[in-house]
Amino acid sequence: MTGVQFGELPSLKQDSAVLSCVFSPDGETIAVRQSSEKINVRSTSNWETLWTSEGHSGHVTSMVYSPNSIQIATGSNDNTIRLWDVWTGMCIRTLNGHNGPVLSVAYSPQGDQIVSGGNDTTIKVWDVESGECCYIWIGHTAFVSDVLYSPKGTQIASCGGDKTVRIWDVETGNRLHIMKGHKDFITSIAYSPQGDQVASASHDHTMRLWSMVSGESRRILTGHGSTVIFVMYSPNGSQLASACLDKSVRLWDADRGVCLHILQGHTSSVQCVVYSPQGDMVASCGDDKTVRLWDAATGVHQQTLTGHTGKVASVMFSPKGDWVASGCDDTTVRLWDVGAAGISRQTSTGHIDSITDVKYSPRGGSVATCSYDMSVRLWNVETGARLHVLRGHTDRVNCVDYSPQGDQLASGSADTTVRLWNVETGACIHILKGHSHGILTVAYSFQGDQLASSGSDNAVRLWDVKSGGCHHILTGHTEKVSGITYSQDGEQVISCSWDSTIRVWNVAAGTCKYTITGHSDFVERIAYSPRNNQIASVGGDTTVRVWDVGTGEPRHIFIGHNVRVCAVQYSPRGDHITSGDWNGSVRVWDTESGDCLWTLVGHSDWVSGIVYSPQGDLGTASSDGSMRLWDLSSG
């Protein structure tokens, strides 16, 4: 997919092939390493070049920002390391001492030291202020391919052509561990965010997890069919991502060493993989000229970014996670806007089974979700913090709805009861009994004085919210009633059923005014338009249909889903209709034209609920156990 789902900023043309690109920690600049003696640094405010380095007499092999974003260190085939001022491009100092190409450089977390490794098999630690060499560590018997500091800066890990990982004490200079086990040279290493584990990737097709306490190999990760090029921990340390020449990316449980997902789609070798700062997304790039985005939790492919005309060697998220930069041997860096429409940026978790419904509070400050795990959970939208876990149902909870005032929440369950909850305290106010089978949907009237419920007993019940008493039992449907909604004036209730019909009921009399037909299969959900007397309905015939409630006449049929459509909702202004299907796909339609504006991918199972905040933010829930918030603002 292209265009509306992912915004591409202008590409940054370089003088030669791009080997890597790196955002500064503060996000204000981006540095580009080329297949020459130069690096190019640009401001992210306008993407204009600040400077291009002059000084190295050999290819730049590695490049890294200082933690405070004011310096860049580069290693080169000319055997030197150079420190550059980020804003002026002035070479602050040149570090001499290696007797061969410098292959890797890294700053300490405090920014006061640099470690370097090279072809001469040595590791050197440098004082940034003075440029003096503090330590020379000898031990590797072949080239040193990667070096890095531990998160606290107390250790340094190194690896290379001698098939070992070595751990060094920064304060004493002593070697702490020699970790052996790989059967070929090691390509990449990574510290866990907690610093208690190091992961290594190798030409022997495996990865290993090493304990920093014992120095022993905790896990051997197998499954890749070729050289594992790169390994990276997720920001919270729960996952590992690996990139391989076998055209795949794998996501692993970082503790157990179990493969969680195999990300397939690249048609050639994968060169790099990175997590977003939030940890919810993975980006990969490769020789097939593409960058691909994946959901880190589910492994579902979200987007393929095309435009490069050569092998893509490097990909990186900006510090805020709002941009992706990719570097290619076509001599360009391309910048992609992750904030563009169609990319989900948050996932709320906590339920231990499938989420069945989701609703925003009227003011948009909280979200309610319910689940097969028999609980209802309330979340703070801004922080993602859990506010309450509401327990009491004895079977799965199928549906929730906020009262218009936001002080109450109703939940319906397969245990045949409806429960009313105090949102502030989480206390159960009423248990409404009367249905003979499970509840499938609940809905408050717009005035908040009534509640409608329906379920597998083919009936709709209208309840007095204050007393908990049942006013009317609406019968007529011949199969389960899967969706209900009130008209805005509260005088009508509209229901849909697996008998393929929609019924419009008079609330005061408790009688059916008329029946709407047109769907060729069961009708699963309905939604009432906020700006006119219309409803949208979806179901088993894969269509989205819009009806005039006053006359029962059809207005629109939206076609695009190819499987059962199981959720539908209007936007607050009524200009969009959003639908979700059995495969996890979400579509946003223009109400008037019927055009499909966005197709949102990310869920790996059927969409169980769709909700808009009062401000127009879109949320979806799925049987895959996730809730997603989508940014449609730039669409």
Side-chain angles (χ1 to χ4, degrees):
M1 300 179 119
T2 58
V4 298
Q5 286 201 340
F6 207 97
E8 186 189 353
L9 299 166
S11 62
L12 311 181
K13 184 68 175 176
Q14 305 297 311
D15 296 330
S16 59
V18 177
L19 300 180
S20 65
C21 49
V22 183
F23 282 101
S24 61
D26 62 10
E28 294 187 5
T29 62
I30 185 172
V32 180
R33 180 168 64 94
Q34 305 175 57
S35 60
S36 65
E37 301 84 9
K38 300 177 182 179
I39 67 169
N40 176 244
V41 178
R42 297 177 182 241
S43 169
T44 57
S45 63
N46 56 17
W47 306 111
E48 294 295 326
T49 293
L50 295 173
W51 53 274
T52 300
S53 67
E54 298 286 348
H56 281 300
S57 58
H59 286 190
V60 177
T61 57
S62 56
M63 173 181 68
V64 63
Y65 275 94
S66 62
N68 60 9
S69 300
I70 65 173
Q71 286 183 7
I72 293 175
T74 55
S76 170
N77 279 345
D78 65 8
N79 306 352
T80 70
I81 300 153
R82 287 179 177 255
L83 308 186
W84 310 85
D85 183 285
V86 166
W87 292 102
T88 66
M90 179 184 297
C91 181
I92 302 167
R93 57 184 49 87
T94 301
L95 310 181
N96 294 290
H98 281 287
N99 294 319
V102 180
L103 302 180
S104 180
V105 292
Y107 276 93
S108 66
Q110 297 77 23
D112 58 340
Q113 289 183 346
I114 287 175
V115 62
S116 59
N119 238 24
D120 61 4
T121 76
T122 69
I123 298 158
K124 296 181 184 290
V125 179
W126 311 83
D127 182 87
V128 169
E129 184 65 28
S130 66
E132 296 295 321
C133 183
C134 306
Y135 297 113
I136 301 175
W137 292 331
I138 299 172
H140 283 288
T141 59
F143 62 87
V144 179
S145 57
D146 202 2
V147 290
L148 72 161
Y149 279 85
S150 64
K152 293 182 179 179
T154 58
Q155 295 177 354
I156 288 173
S158 60
C159 68
D162 64 1
K163 311 172 193 175
T164 70
V165 178
R166 295 172 186 247
I167 307 298
W168 312 83
D169 186 282
V170 171
E171 184 176 357
T172 65
N174 294 331
R175 187 187 67 220
L176 300 176
H177 301 295
I178 303 176
M179 300 183 291
K180 300 179 180 180
H182 282 296
K183 294 180 171 51
D184 210 329
F185 70 83
I186 299 170
T187 56
S188 175
I189 50 176
Y191 266 101
S192 66
Q194 297 77 21
D196 59 342
Q197 185 170 272
V198 164
S200 58
S202 172
H203 192 63
D204 67 8
H205 305 185
T206 72
M207 296 178 2
R208 286 179 179 253
L209 306 182
W210 307 89
S211 167
M212 291 300 94
V213 176
S214 66
E216 297 297 320
S217 176
R218 294 184 60 248
R219 302 278 189 271
I220 303 174
L221 281 53
T222 60
H224 279 300
S226 187
T227 300
V228 186
I229 292 291
F230 190 75
V231 61
M232 182 183 187
Y233 278 91
S234 63
N236 65 6
S238 64
Q239 278 190 7
L240 276 168
S242 56
C244 185
L245 298 186
D246 66 5
K247 310 177 189 178
S248 76
V249 173
R250 288 180 179 242
L251 303 184
W252 309 81
D253 183 294
D255 181 51
R256 297 177 295 136
V258 175
C259 183
L260 302 174
H261 305 291
I262 303 174
L263 312 185
Q264 295 179 317
H266 284 288
T267 58
S268 191
S269 299
V270 183
Q271 296 295 336
C272 186
V273 61
V274 291
Y275 282 93
S276 65
Q278 298 85 356
D280 60 340
M281 193 181 291
V282 169
S284 59
C285 65
D287 292 354
D288 62 2
K289 309 176 186 179
T290 70
V291 176
R292 291 174 183 259
L293 301 180
W294 315 83
D295 184 282
T298 64
V300 171
H301 174 249
Q302 288 192 322
Q303 196 81 11
T304 300
L305 311 181
T306 58
H308 282 298
T309 59
K311 298 177 181 179
V312 187
S314 173
V315 64
M316 186 182 186
F317 283 91
S318 64
K320 293 182 180 179
D322 48 356
W323 297 321
V324 167
S326 55
C328 181
D329 67 7
D330 63 7
T331 74
T332 67
V333 174
R334 288 181 178 259
L335 302 164
W336 313 86
D337 180 7
V338 183
I343 302 299
S344 67
R345 297 304 304 154
Q346 289 179 272
T347 302
S348 297
T349 59
H351 288 292
I352 60 174
D353 209 332
S354 300
I355 296 175
T356 52
D357 199 10
V358 57
K359 291 290 190 302
Y360 266 102
S361 64
R363 294 183 181 178
S366 65
V367 167
T369 57
C370 59
S371 170
Y372 270 67
D373 65 11
M374 299 185 287
S375 75
V376 178
R377 292 171 183 255
L378 306 185
W379 308 87
N380 182 291
V381 172
E382 186 67 26
T383 66
R386 189 183 67 209
L387 302 174
H388 293 295
V389 179
L390 311 181
R391 302 188 187 278
H393 286 296
T394 58
D395 205 335
R396 70 177 184 270
V397 186
N398 292 322
C399 51
V400 287
D401 195 33
Y402 277 95
S403 67
Q405 297 78 21
D407 58 340
Q408 275 189 18
L409 185 80
S411 59
S413 170
D415 66 8
T416 75
T417 70
V418 176
R419 287 180 177 251
L420 305 185
W421 309 86
N422 182 298
V423 169
E424 183 176 357
T425 66
C428 182
I429 304 167
H430 291 298
I431 302 175
L432 312 182
K433 299 180 179 180
H435 284 285
S436 60
H437 292 77
I439 313 298
L440 297 178
T441 184
V442 291
Y444 279 92
S445 66
F446 284 86
Q447 294 71 32
D449 57 337
Q450 284 190 3
L451 181 81
S453 61
S454 67
S456 298
D457 59 3
N458 306 349
V460 177
R461 286 179 176 256
L462 306 183
W463 309 86
D464 182 273
V465 168
K466 188 174 182 180
S467 67
C470 182
H471 284 322
H472 294 295
I473 303 173
L474 312 181
T475 59
H477 284 296
T478 58
E479 291 194 46
K480 63 183 179 182
V481 183
S482 49
I484 48 175
T485 184
Y486 276 90
S487 62
Q488 289 189 345
D489 59 12
E491 295 180 359
Q492 297 177 123
V493 164
I494 302 95
S495 60
C496 66
S497 170
W498 278 48
D499 64 8
S500 304
T501 70
I502 300 167
R503 287 180 177 252
V504 180
W505 308 84
N506 181 293
V507 168
T511 57
C512 181
K513 296 176 65 176
Y514 52 86
T515 301
I516 299 173
T517 60
H519 279 286
S520 60
D521 206 335
F522 61 85
V523 187
E524 184 144 5
R525 287 287 186 267
I526 52 175
Y528 202 94
S529 170
R531 70 177 183 180
N532 52 37
N533 199 30
Q534 292 183 353
I535 57 169
S537 60
V538 297
D541 63 6
T542 76
T543 66
V544 180
R545 295 174 183 252
V546 179
W547 312 85
D548 186 297
V549 175
T551 65
E553 294 299 315
R555 292 299 183 201
H556 298 290
I557 302 176
F558 303 156
I559 298 174
H561 291 286
N562 55 18
V563 293
R564 165 185 174 185
V565 188
C566 38
V568 66
Q569 189 58 265
Y570 278 91
S571 64
R573 293 186 299 177
D575 55 340
H576 295 159
I577 293 173
T578 301
S579 55
D581 67 27
W582 199 249
N583 284 343
S585 175
V586 177
R587 288 176 178 257
V588 182
W589 311 83
D590 183 279
T591 305
E592 295 301 324
S593 68
D595 292 336
C596 182
L597 303 176
W598 298 285
T599 300
L600 313 179
V601 294
H603 287 301
S604 61
D605 209 337
W606 58 277
V607 179
S608 53
I610 299 171
V611 64
Y612 278 92
S613 73
Q615 296 77 28
D617 298 320
L618 174 63
T620 57
S622 169
S623 183
D624 64 12
S626 73
M627 193 192 101
R628 294 178 175 270
L629 304 181
W630 306 84
D631 177 15
L632 304 181
S633 58
S634 62

